[in-house]
Amino acid sequence: MLGRVNTINVSLLSLAMPAGSLIGGVMAKITSVQLTMSFFGIGLFVLALFYMGSGRMRKLPKVVEIDHTYVKLSR
């Protein structure tokens, strides 16, 4: 199951990469590289705040404590 999820994740990232490169390149050409990188940094910061503020993410147990019952997989 973990392999399937990883494959989907890598596939979606590979599909998004050309669009992100195009948007970043156009934005850097129109404005400046510093402003483009600043927007990227601000976006990462907002994403970090989202994960820090998410109650579900904060309540996750440690990785070593997760078993098949937590993720609702049958054995």
Side-chain angles (χ1 to χ4, degrees):
M1 190 64 130
L2 187 59
R4 291 179 190 168
V5 172
N6 189 39
T7 300
I8 291 171
N9 192 17
V10 170
S11 297
L12 291 175
L13 287 172
S14 297
L15 287 171
M17 199 179 311
S21 297
L22 178 66
I23 292 168
V26 168
M27 190 172 163
K29 191 77 166 174
I30 292 172
T31 60
S32 69
V33 174
Q34 290 83 6
L35 185 63
T36 304
M37 294 300 288
S38 297
F39 279 137
F40 176 71
I42 291 168
L44 285 178
F45 183 71
V46 169
L47 185 64
L49 290 177
F50 170 75
Y51 282 127
M52 286 176 50
S54 172
R56 290 183 70 189
M57 295 293 279
R58 294 181 67 89
K59 292 178 187 173
L60 284 174
K62 294 179 184 176
V63 174
V64 294
E65 296 173 0
I66 296 177
D67 61 357
H68 70 281
T69 59
Y70 185 81
V71 292
K72 297 183 177 99
L73 294 174
S74 60
R75 276 212 174 201

